[in-house]
Amino acid sequence: MRVVDDQPMDSENVGQRLRAAREARGLSIEDVAASTRIPTRHLVSLEQSDWEKLPAPTYSVGFAKNYAGAVGLDKAEIAEALRTEMGSELPSHYSTVVDTFEPVDRSRSMPKGVVIGAIAALIVIALLLSWLSNRELADDGAAPAPAAVEQGAPVAPVPAATPVAQGPVVISASEAAWIEVRDGATVLKQGELGVGQSFEVPSTASRPVLTTAKPEALRISVGTGDAPSVGPAGTRVSGVSLLAADLMRGPSAPAAPTTTPSAATSNTL
């Protein structure tokens, strides 16, 4: 029988071991959440072995390893014990999922939003330099430029650059709504999101998409800002990208109506 901190472990499940180690160090559940960047509700679900409230077994094992590291337990031992425990108690619809995920240590990696923002900024700079170069070539063969603007004349304001979206993507419900969040073939969240409840898209998800029949009931935030609505009220939307940059761009605006010659003539008459 293994003994950790003079306590027999065979009679305790993983959740009890994590909680006991946390309490032995005088830490609250909020302290662990702050140090691991794992939502408090997931830590509580781990301690209570409540698999239904966790996003997926792959994420659960990664959360448990980070939790173990924060309270001084062996990560590999906790992960193996949790796999064994989940294998015997996990709901049947999780049985085919392969455990390959471990949350990234954000203190050693750059947030995905910053990477995407940097790439977008480089593209914008390259396009701006190309436009300036073409403009200079055009000016060389054009007529002399008009006189400088008279001093004191009003100058059109330059529009401010659109800020790059950064921070976690969180879906909150103002009224009960069914949602499904997938990352490729992995289901991150499926079911009803109750009033006041929220779901944070894991930062490690590479292609998260949303499906819902009540987009008007959802508020999606990116960091400290709110993204535009993902669809009109009462309309089912699917395959909505939950990447920060895509959310802040919002849905495409409808094309402006075209005035036909006959309509223009009628208005003139």
Side-chain angles (χ1 to χ4, degrees), residues 165-210:
Q166 297 185 44
V169 175
V170 179
I171 305 172
S172 304
S174 58
E175 59 181 289
W178 183 92
I179 68 170
E180 181 185 81
V181 179
R182 286 179 172 269
D183 183 18
T186 302
V187 177
L188 304 181
K189 170 70 177 177
Q190 186 180 70
E192 184 177 272
L193 198 63
V195 177
Q197 292 184 337
S198 62
F199 171 75
E200 181 177 342
V201 179
S203 62
T204 52
S206 59
R207 302 188 309 278
V209 294
L210 167 69

Side-chain angles (χ1 to χ4, degrees), residues 3 8 26 76 85 88 125 144 159 162 187 205 219 238 246 251 266:
V3 177
E85 186 175 327
S88 61
I125 292 173
T162 303
V187 177
R219 170 179 170 266
S238 62
D246 294 340
S266 299

Side-chain angles (χ1 to χ4, degrees), residues 138-146:
D139 289 344
D140 289 342

Side-chain angles (χ1 to χ4, degrees), residues 1-22:
M1 179 185 301
R2 289 196 63 175
V3 177
V4 178
D5 294 335
D6 298 329
Q7 296 290 332
M9 294 289 105
D10 287 353
S11 61
E12 295 180 321
N13 60 27
V14 171
Q16 292 170 330
R17 294 175 62 181
L18 292 172
R19 183 172 63 252
R22 171 176 61 79

Side-chain angles (χ1 to χ4, degrees), residues 9-18 45-51 54 57 61 64 77-91:
M9 294 289 105
D10 287 353
S11 61
E12 295 180 321
N13 60 27
V14 171
Q16 292 170 330
R17 294 175 62 181
L18 292 172
S45 297
L46 278 173
E47 288 190 352
Q48 298 175 352
S49 300
D50 191 350
W51 316 127
L54 290 168
V61 172
E77 179 186 352
I78 287 295
E80 186 61 30
L82 184 58
R83 291 187 187 99
T84 302
E85 186 175 327
M86 293 175 72
S88 61
E89 300 182 16
L90 200 63

